[in-house]
Amino acid sequence: MACVDHPTVDEAHVCTVCEKRWCTTCVKPVGLVQQHAICPTCGHLVKAAWPVTSGTQSLGGAISRAITTEGLITAFAFAVFHLIAQLFKIFDLIYLSTLVGYYFTIVHHVGDGRVGLPGPSDATDDWVEIVGLALRGMACFALGFVPIIVVLALGHDPSPAAFIGWLAVGQLYLPAAILAVTLTNSGLSMVWPVTWVQVIARAPLPYVRFLVLWLGTVAIGCAIGALTSGLAFALDNIFVDFAVAVIWNLFWFAQASLVGTFIRENATAFGW
């Protein structure tokens, strides 16, 4: 968003009371020893503001964050791990948990306003926290498949269209579960719908925008899946499998960046 008085200049501060947005030139410094910036309209304190972007800008920013030198190197590293997991199935769970753990690390990294993607220096030394983050993430994504799991458990054989429809149902509440886990840092909130409702109720309109963005990325993921699975099946080559893994890793990095961007821009609204 732009400054109230300078439409061509991006916001840098937002008033804590009237919520008007200002550039650095507009805010007034007060205080002799320790200066504070105040709103030129109401005189209350202002705080740093993250520019609120449109859905297209947020998606573009998430993609550009993923497709960088560090993003490509990390995607290649995970792809190598993926190939090892294909040769030794026992590594499958380790590979998936590591990738999901990194996904939520990206969410927190971007949500905290840091640049790029998290690297080794951003990793925590607490292995219990790392394992917990990975397990919460895997359980959270599994939650999105609950509707189709229930349908199959009841003995139904859904048509391809119905199968996709039940998967889509899970995507309608999965964003709320992801936000609940991220905002509360608690795995219990993931399976407690009351927390989902509380998260949505804090900022319903921003959540709707996020839901639209999320469904958009899911549609993109489905398209990528259709293209890459067909290519991998037709060529059946280890190098193709490696390239497909790299593409999927970049997709997950971009989607995690999108979630982090949303949380960063709506931190105040969600009380984060």
Side-chain angles (χ1 to χ4, degrees):
M1 294 180 66
C3 170
V4 174
D5 286 346
H6 301 93
T8 59
V9 180
D10 287 338
E11 61 182 339
H13 306 275
V14 59
C15 179
T16 56
V17 176
C18 70
E19 298 186 349
K20 289 184 177 179
R21 297 174 180 269
W22 308 97
C23 64
T24 303
T25 304
C26 286
V27 296
K28 298 178 179 180
V30 296
L32 296 176
V33 179
Q34 184 177 4
Q35 288 194 331
H36 299 282
I38 64 172
C39 174
T41 297
C42 68
H44 288 89
L45 291 175
V46 298
K47 62 181 179 180
W50 293 107
V52 177
T53 56
S54 66
T56 302
Q57 290 171 326
S58 296
L59 183 58
I63 294 174
S64 63
R65 187 186 287 261
I67 306 179
T68 57
T69 300
E70 61 182 338
L72 289 171
I73 291 175
T74 307
F76 270 76
F78 272 106
V80 171
F81 201 6
H82 168 72
L83 291 184
I84 296 175
Q86 298 308 302
L87 297 175
F88 304 97
K89 293 299 183 181
I90 193 172
F91 287 98
D92 267 340
L93 182 60
I94 300 175
Y95 164 70
L96 291 174
S97 61
T98 304
L99 182 59
V100 172
Y102 188 66
Y103 182 100
F104 279 88
T105 301
I106 293 175
V107 172
H108 283 275
H109 181 88
V110 178
D112 288 337
R114 301 177 188 177
V115 298
L117 295 174
S121 61
D122 300 296
T124 176
D125 293 327
D126 187 348
W127 280 98
V128 175
E129 183 179 348
I130 294 176
V131 173
L133 190 67
L135 292 177
R136 287 200 302 267
M138 293 183 70
C140 195
F141 281 112
L143 191 66
F145 293 93
V146 167
I148 192 63
I149 292 175
V150 171
V151 170
L152 295 176
L154 292 175
H156 297 294
D157 185 17
S159 65
F163 188 90
I164 294 174
W166 283 114
L167 287 179
V169 170
Q171 300 307 309
L172 295 177
Y173 61 78
L174 183 58
I178 292 176
L179 286 179
V181 170
T182 304
L183 296 173
T184 65
N185 198 29
S186 171
L188 293 177
S189 61
M190 160 184 63
V191 294
W192 188 241
V194 173
T195 308
W196 309 349
V197 174
Q198 291 173 341
V199 168
I200 297 172
R202 278 181 174 268
L205 291 181
Y207 178 77
V208 170
R209 291 197 297 269
F210 176 61
L211 178 61
V212 172
L213 283 175
W214 176 267
L215 293 177
T217 62
V218 170
I220 293 173
C222 290
I224 293 175
L227 291 174
T228 55
S229 60
L231 184 64
F233 179 79
L235 298 179
D236 192 20
N237 185 288
I238 189 172
F239 296 105
V240 175
D241 291 340
F242 181 81
V244 168
V246 170
I247 292 172
W248 270 111
N249 291 335
L250 292 174
F251 169 78
W252 294 124
F253 297 170
Q255 190 187 63
S257 298
L258 182 65
V259 175
T261 299
F262 171 81
I263 292 176
R264 183 189 69 195
E265 294 180 350
N266 298 275
T268 302
F270 285 100
W272 196 53

